[in-house]
Amino acid sequence: MKQENKSLIFLNSSVFLFGLAGIFAKWINIPALGITFGRVFFSSISLLVYLIATRQKILTDSRKDFLKLVFCGIILAVHWWSFLGSVQKSSVATGTITFSSFPLFVTVFEAILGRRKIRLNDLIFATSIIVGVAVTCPSFSVSSDDMQGFSLGLISAVSYAILTLCNKNFTGRINESKISFYEQSSAMIFLLPIVLLNPFPVTVKDISLLVLLGVFTTALAHTMFISSLKNVSASVAGVCSSMETVYGILFAFVLLGEVPYVREIIGGLIIIITVTIRQYTIKTE
C-alpha cells in the first residue's frame, strides 16, 4: 500500500473517531473542563503504557522540542475545552459544524508563515466549508446558548488549526505516540490546577465513559491523525477533518436522537461534497 493511501486511511479513521467526542459531551454529566481533563488523563496513561510496553524512548532529544510539545499540549487543551463547551452549550451539530471552519484558518496561517502561497483552489475549498458553516449558523443573539456555542466552536477551530500546523513540524522526526503522549500529558498538567480550583462530582458511569473517550477517541485517534501528517499537507488534513462534522451529526441522530435541522443537513452536504472533491485532487498538491 502506498504511504499516501495509508496516511489517508489513518486520517479518515481518526476523524471518524473524533466525531464521537461530541456524543460523550452529552453523555457525561460533568462540565466541559472536567471532560477535557478526564480525556487527557486517561489518554496520557494509555500512551505511557504503550511507550513502555514497546520499549520506546520516552524522553525527547532536545529541550526545544520538549517546549514546543508542551506548547502544543496547552493549545490542545484549549481546543478540546472549547469544543466540548460548544457542544454542551448548544448541540453536537452546532459544535462540530462551527469547528469545521478550521481549514480556512490553516490556509491563512500557512500563508502568513510563508509555508505556501494561497492558491485559487485553496480559496474555493475553504470558502465552500465556510458556506456550509454559514448555512447552519444559529441565532446571532449574544445572550443565546446557540451563539455562545457558536463562539466557542470558532475558538476550537482556530486552536485546532494552530495545533495541526505545529504537529506537521514533528512528523517524521518524532514518533507519533511520543508526540501524542507529550501533548496529552502537557494538557493534563495545564488543566490540573484549574480542575482543583473548580471541583465537581463524578460518578462511576462518568469515569467509565471518560476511559473510553480518553483511550479510543483521544489517544488512538490523535496518534493516527499525527501519523497521517507525514504524507499529506496540513491544508488537505484540514479539509478532510471537516468530515468530523458529518460524523458528529450522524452519531447525534442515531445515539442521542438529535434530529438535525434542514439547514444543518444542507451544510453537511456542502462539506461532504467539498471533502470528496478535495481528496480526489490531493495528488496535485
Side-chain angles (χ1 to χ4, degrees), residues 85-104:
S86 175
V87 171
Q88 288 191 331
K89 271 290 183 181
S90 50
S91 66
V92 174
T94 297
T96 54
I97 290 175
T98 309
F99 158 71
S100 70
S101 65
F102 88 88
L104 174 62

Side-chain angles (χ1 to χ4, degrees), residues 210-277:
L210 285 172
V211 171
L212 293 176
L213 178 64
V215 175
F216 294 103
T217 70
T218 306
L220 177 60
H222 193 55
T223 300
M224 286 195 299
F225 181 81
I226 294 174
S227 178
S228 72
L229 295 178
K230 287 181 179 179
N231 300 292
V232 298
S233 70
S235 296
V236 172
V239 177
C240 292
S241 294
S242 298
M243 281 298 293
E244 179 180 337
T245 300
V246 180
Y247 294 141
I249 293 175
L250 289 175
F251 287 141
F253 174 70
V254 175
L255 301 176
L256 299 176
E258 286 189 0
V259 181
Y261 295 108
V262 174
R263 295 179 65 181
E264 292 173 337
I265 294 175
I266 295 174
L269 287 174
I270 292 174
I271 293 171
I272 290 176
I273 294 171
T274 301
V275 171
T276 301
I277 295 174

Side-chain angles (χ1 to χ4, degrees), residues 15-34:
V15 172
F16 181 83
L17 290 173
F18 285 148
L20 282 168
I23 305 301
F24 284 88
K26 294 291 189 179
W27 278 343
I28 302 174
N29 297 315
I30 59 177
L33 170 64

Side-chain angles (χ1 to χ4, degrees), residues 126-165:
T127 301
S128 296
I129 290 175
I130 293 301
V131 169
V133 173
V135 168
T136 60
C137 185
S139 167
F140 283 99
S141 173
V142 178
S143 61
S144 70
D145 286 342
D146 279 340
M147 189 58 195
Q148 291 177 26
F150 185 79
S151 300
L152 286 170
L154 286 179
I155 295 174
S156 174
V158 172
S159 56
Y160 195 70
I162 296 172
L163 183 65
T164 299
L165 292 174

